[in-house]
């Protein structure tokens, strides 16, 4: 789905384009608030001084004159001209002061931000309904599983209000200043800061400051505070200077294999979550989707070279001989409790041999695991094939992070098929199209059109949109979106043409729930939402397989919704209306 960016404010617009009332309003934007004092013709301090002086003078005058009357037994109601003037001045100054400070006080009460973010949400229209375009009517079915997550609300609210404070970075201390200067001068390598300082946050802060000085470019806007830099050390990212924030939306619930899932999607593409959400609704109202895991095995294929093609072929026959399998798998499996060799598939290219090892990897995506097993086998083979020259542990026949037919045909990671029957009336009411139009569009676009384009695993409308968003939210390797998005979408009219059978078949979904980015706090929270956080102790591998099914189910929802929008001819219209930022992009320049 090729769509543009939307500004945050646009999300707060109703379908009619009217702004929604902002309940959670931060009043630090005081310049935008109209005050009573704005109407003053004189400088504020002069006017206020004048009226204050007048007020207290007449009060003093009246009190002393009344005290004098009491002392001399003069009736209080007998007043002279000067007292009349004083009373008038008192009334005028009192009205002014009351009007000035009173209105400001009332304004400040009205504009006070609510400290209860959930209370603000309560009477706000469901945010998930707000960005939906007319073409993508995505009002939600009941969100049963979300209720339990409300318990976490008190923890969330303070972080929201501290956001401004988090962005401000304090000036460096004298000691840090000296290190920054050394990094800028090149006497301390930037990469060594973590080791030298033993404090990852401090290292990131110093590196960031040095970078800004060296490049002369500001990193303002890239947050530094509020992230656990220890958690990425040696695992996720080197030489950090901050972290990127990506909004996470929720599509769902998605009814899949009898369970409801709220699917977290990290994206900056407007319409994507709303569209997937609409697909989830259509699936739910039709009784849900079901999935089957066809295969589960991660691959790694080293390339080795011999002096002759004959020798390369000999190793191929050795590796594929069932009699040798037990020995090879024993050697392979000793690297991990979870990595279990399944197959070795070999391909010869002249004197070179490519051996595609495939193994189960428990709840890990498995690249490290499979690589360790392969290394063990290569070391072992060296005994019987001393003339074998190991060119590389990865020979691209794996094939990782590149479009390749081998993944599309053989599968890599989890191979999943997911299907649903969408009732005809749901197709018309929720998806705003009809079964025949969808079937025809699928045939001409996803099958024929992709064939004409020479597609490799791209027989779908936008699987990679959903795959990428779920991968980012759940800490998967986003580069594996390439093969993980291989998908063929099938649509068929059933029940005498009344209902729609829709399926997605995805042979290489590469996901894990342990290792890599999955252990970081925010990604881990998203995995937790899906009920697949971390390792499954009872049945290792179950969490990762469940996640793969959720990915396929979400793709099914995304396919249904986008295909419907196209079939109904609404895609361009709705995206032009709701997906174009009104911001002046030319105003954004480097600083
Ligand atoms: P990957 O192979 O995906 O790169 P890592 O090697 O980073 O993943 O993480 C896998 C690690 O997690 C291994 O050390 C493995 O022993 C450990 N682990 C613990 N529980 C499990 C599990 N249920 N499934 C897979 N690995 C697990």
């Amino acid at each position: 789905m090729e769509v543009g960016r939307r500004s945050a404010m646009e999300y707060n617009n109703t379908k009619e384009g009217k702004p929604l009332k902002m309940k959670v309003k931060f009043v630090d934007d005081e310049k935008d608030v109209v005050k009573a004092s704005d109407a003053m013709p004189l400088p504020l301090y002069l006017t206020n001084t004048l009226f204050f002086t007048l007020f207290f003078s007449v009060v003093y005058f009246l009190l002393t004159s009344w005290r004098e009357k009491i002392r001399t037994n003069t009736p209080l109601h007998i007043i002279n001209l000067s007292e009349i003037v004083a009373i008038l001045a008192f009334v005028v100054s009192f009205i002014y002061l009351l009007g000035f400070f009173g209105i400001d006080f009332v304004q400040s009460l009205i504009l006070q931000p609510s400290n209860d973010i959930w209370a603000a949400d309560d009477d706000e229209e469901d945010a998930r309904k707000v960005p939906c375009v007319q073409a993508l009517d995505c009002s939600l079915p009941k969100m049963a599983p979300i209720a339990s997550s409300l318990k976490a609300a008190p923890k969330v609210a303070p972080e929201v209000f501290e956001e401004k404070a988090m962005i401000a970075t304090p000036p460096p201390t004298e000691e840090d200043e000296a290190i920054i200067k050394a990094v800028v001068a090149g006497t301390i390598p930037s990469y060594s800061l973590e080791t030298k300082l033993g404090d990852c946050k401090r290292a990131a802060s110093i590196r960031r400051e040095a970078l800004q000085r060296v490049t002369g470019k500001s990193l303002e806007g890239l947050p530094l505070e509020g992230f656990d830099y220890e958690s990425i050390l040696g695992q996720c990212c080197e030489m950090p200077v901050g972290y990127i924030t990506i909004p996470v939306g929720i599509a769902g619930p998605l009814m899949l294999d009898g369970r409801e899932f709220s699917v977290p999607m990290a994206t900056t593409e407007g319409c994507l979550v709303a569209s997937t959400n609409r697909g989830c609704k259509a699936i739910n109202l039709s009784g849900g989707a079901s999935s089957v895991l066809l295969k589960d095995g991660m691959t790694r294929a080293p390339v080795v070279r011999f002096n002759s093609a004959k020798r390369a072929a000999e190793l191929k026959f050795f590796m594929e001989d069932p009699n040798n399998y037990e020995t090879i798998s024993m050697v392979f499996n000793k690297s991990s409790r979870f990595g279990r060799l399944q197959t070795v598939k070999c391909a010869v290219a002249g004197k070179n041999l490519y051996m595609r090892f495939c193994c189960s990897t428990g709840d890990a995506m498995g690249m490290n695991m499979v690589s360790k097993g392969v290394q063990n086998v290569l070391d072992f083979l060296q005994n019987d094939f001393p003339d074998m020259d190991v060119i590389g542990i990865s020979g691209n026949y794996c094939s990782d992070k590149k479009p390749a037919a081998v993944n599309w045909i053989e599968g890599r990671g989890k191979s999943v098929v997911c299907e649903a029957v969408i009732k005809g009336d749901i197709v018309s009411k929720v998806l705003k199209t009809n079964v025949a139009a969808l079937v025809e569009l699928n045939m001409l676009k996803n099958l024929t059109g992709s064939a004409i384009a020479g597609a490799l695993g791209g027989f779908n409308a936008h699987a990679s949109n959903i795959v990428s968003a779920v991968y980012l939210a759940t800490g998967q390797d986003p580069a594996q979106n390439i093969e993980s998005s291989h998908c063929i979408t099938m649509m068929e009219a059933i029940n005498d043409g009344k209902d729609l059978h829709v399926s997605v078949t995805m042979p290489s979904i590469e996901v894990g729930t342990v290792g890599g980015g999955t252990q970081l706090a925010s990604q881990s929270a998203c995995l937790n939402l899906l009920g697949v956080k971390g390792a499954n102790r009872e049945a290792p591998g179950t969490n990762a397989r469940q996640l793969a099914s959720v990915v396929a189910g979400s793709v099914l929802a995304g396919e249904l919704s986008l295909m419907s929008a196209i079939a109904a001819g609404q895609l361009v219209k709705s995206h032009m209306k709701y997906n174009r930022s009104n911001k002046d992009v030319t105003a954004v320049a480097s600083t």
Side-chain angles (χ1 to χ4, degrees):
M1 186 160 52
E2 290 187 17
V3 285
R5 285 162 200 273
R6 305 177 63 195
S7 71
M9 273 313 292
E10 282 175 284
Y11 278 103
N12 291 313
N13 287 355
T14 60
K15 283 180 185 175
E16 293 78 33
K18 290 177 194 152
L20 284 173
K21 56 187 169 29
M22 292 282 285
K23 283 293 175 64
V24 183
K25 182 169 171 60
F26 295 89
V27 278
D28 54 331
D29 248 353
E30 281 192 26
K31 59 183 181 305
D32 297 336
V33 180
V34 179
K35 290 182 169 181
S37 56
D38 293 350
M40 298 300 299
L42 287 173
L44 195 60
Y45 74 96
L46 265 185
T47 325
N48 284 349
T49 311
L50 192 74
F51 278 97
F52 264 118
T53 314
L54 186 65
F55 180 79
F56 287 112
S57 307
V58 294
V59 167
Y60 178 76
F61 172 77
L62 287 172
L63 285 177
T64 47
S65 74
W66 287 340
R67 196 181 63 176
E68 192 57 30
K69 280 182 186 173
I70 291 165
R71 219 164 50 82
T72 56
N73 282 336
T74 313
L76 283 180
H77 62 273
I78 298 174
I79 48 175
N80 57 29
L81 186 66
S82 58
E83 283 172 332
I84 292 173
V85 173
I87 289 169
L88 279 177
F90 170 81
V91 172
V92 169
S93 57
F94 180 76
I95 289 173
Y96 169 81
L97 293 173
L98 182 72
F100 184 82
F101 291 104
I103 289 174
D104 260 13
F105 177 67
V106 172
Q107 274 184 339
S108 71
L109 280 186
I110 292 170
L111 297 175
Q112 197 111 49
S114 165
N115 281 329
D116 182 354
I117 197 163
W118 293 108
D121 276 355
D122 279 349
D123 50 359
E124 189 80 78
E125 191 182 347
D126 189 327
R128 282 162 296 215
K129 290 180 189 170
V130 175
C132 298
V133 292
Q134 263 157 331
L136 308 178
D137 172 20
C138 54
S139 54
L140 277 176
K142 285 187 180 62
M143 298 287 289
I146 285 181
S148 58
S149 68
L150 292 181
K151 286 179 199 147
K155 282 184 189 163
V156 174
E159 282 159 27
V160 172
F161 287 91
E162 278 163 24
E163 192 178 291
K164 288 243 157 186
M166 276 172 22
I167 290 168
T169 314
T173 60
E174 256 178 52
E175 197 189 338
D176 286 358
E177 182 61 38
I179 305 173
I180 292 167
K181 284 185 177 143
V183 174
V184 171
T187 49
I188 295 182
S190 177
Y191 64 79
S192 70
L193 286 170
E194 276 79 2
T195 323
K196 275 196 164 46
L197 300 173
D199 178 344
C200 294
K201 160 73 197 318
R202 194 173 157 214
S205 175
I206 288 171
R207 177 179 299 115
R208 176 191 176 97
E209 186 53 37
L211 180 69
Q212 292 187 111
R213 290 184 196 179
V214 168
T215 60
K217 299 284 180 200
S218 166
L219 282 176
E220 194 192 343
L222 181 78
L224 171 74
E225 305 288 334
F227 189 79
D228 178 7
Y229 291 91
E230 313 290 334
S231 70
I232 57 170
L233 184 66
Q235 191 160 13
C236 293
C237 181
E238 300 74 39
M239 298 202 280
V241 292
Y243 59 98
I244 288 284
T245 53
I246 305 176
V248 175
I250 294 293
L254 168 71
M255 176 77 87
L256 180 65
D257 301 323
R259 285 178 61 188
E260 284 190 349
F261 296 92
S262 296
V263 184
M265 300 175 72
T267 182
T268 52
E269 184 179 9
C271 281
L272 181 59
V273 182
S275 177
T276 312
N277 192 53
R278 181 175 77 149
C280 290
K281 180 180 178 183
I283 291 170
N284 283 13
L285 293 175
S286 301
S290 58
S291 68
V292 180
L293 185 104
L294 304 166
K295 204 169 166 185
D296 180 9
M298 181 42 70
T299 63
R300 178 55 94 202
V303 51
V304 296
R305 185 168 57 191
F306 291 90
N307 284 331
S308 65
K310 185 169 173 283
R311 282 293 285 162
E314 276 171 18
L315 180 54
K316 172 184 160 66
F317 296 138
F318 175 86
M319 295 301 289
E320 292 178 349
D321 184 344
N323 295 325
N324 295 329
Y325 178 77
E326 202 176 322
T327 314
I328 295 169
S329 64
M330 210 179 65
V331 172
F332 183 99
N333 295 347
K334 72 177 183 209
S335 64
S336 165
R337 283 177 294 153
F338 303 97
R340 292 291 168 264
L341 186 67
Q342 294 171 348
T343 56
V344 187
K345 195 177 171 65
C346 297
V348 171
K351 301 184 295 176
N352 308 298
L353 180 68
Y354 298 80
M355 299 175 276
R356 193 173 189 259
F357 291 79
C358 180
C359 76
S360 57
T361 57
D363 288 310
M365 179 273 289
M367 282 308 303
N368 286 332
M369 211 177 272
V370 66
S371 300
K372 281 188 225 161
V374 168
Q375 189 58 56
N376 288 345
V377 176
L378 289 176
D379 294 345
F380 168 79
L381 288 175
Q382 210 82 65
N383 299 326
D384 287 342
F385 294 85
D387 53 338
M388 178 182 82
D389 187 9
V390 178
I391 301 297
I393 184 125
S394 169
N396 274 11
Y397 183 44
C398 316
S399 178
D400 193 40
K401 303 175 184 176
K402 290 159 285 275
V406 69
N407 296 333
W408 173 234
I409 296 165
E410 294 286 330
R412 187 168 198 254
K414 277 81 176 148
S415 305
V416 180
V417 60
C418 185
E419 66 184 334
V421 173
I422 310 298
K423 299 200 179 80
D425 61 324
I426 305 296
V427 172
S428 56
K429 279 193 202 126
V430 177
L431 300 174
K432 313 277 192 258
T433 182
N434 60 68
V435 172
L438 274 174
V439 171
E440 183 183 47
L441 179 68
N442 191 66
M443 193 264 287
L444 292 177
K445 172 184 165 66
N446 287 344
L447 305 182
T448 315
S450 295
I452 296 281
L456 175 58
F459 299 90
N460 58 78
H462 69 152
S464 78
N465 254 337
I466 290 89
V467 170
S468 305
V470 177
Y471 272 33
L472 287 174
T474 59
Q476 309 306 312
D477 189 335
Q480 290 183 322
N481 154 67
I482 291 172
E483 58 269 36
S484 296
S485 299
H486 285 338
C487 170
I488 184 162
T489 300
M490 305 288 287
M491 292 189 184
E492 196 183 314
I494 57 168
N495 301 334
D496 293 329
K498 286 204 296 286
D499 302 328
L500 176 77
H501 181 275
V502 56
S503 68
V504 291
T505 309
M506 303 179 67
S508 40
I509 301 177
E510 297 164 354
V511 288
T513 60
V514 296
T518 64
Q519 39 94 32
L520 301 179
S522 29
Q523 290 85 337
S524 170
C526 291
L527 287 170
N528 194 43
L529 179 71
L530 291 169
V532 296
K533 179 178 162 180
N536 190 310
R537 296 194 196 292
E538 288 86 49
T542 312
N543 282 359
R545 288 196 282 268
Q546 179 65 73
L547 180 57
S549 291
V550 169
V551 169
S554 308
V555 168
L556 186 77
E559 289 290 279
L560 258 180
S561 187
L562 176 58
M563 289 295 284
S564 300
I566 296 174
Q570 293 160 320
L571 182 74
V572 175
K573 197 173 64 187
S574 60
H575 279 168
M576 286 305 106
K577 188 169 177 186
Y578 291 97
N579 215 1
R580 278 241 168 117
S581 172
N582 292 326
K583 279 188 181 161
D584 178 8
V585 288
T586 58
V588 181
S590 297
T591 54

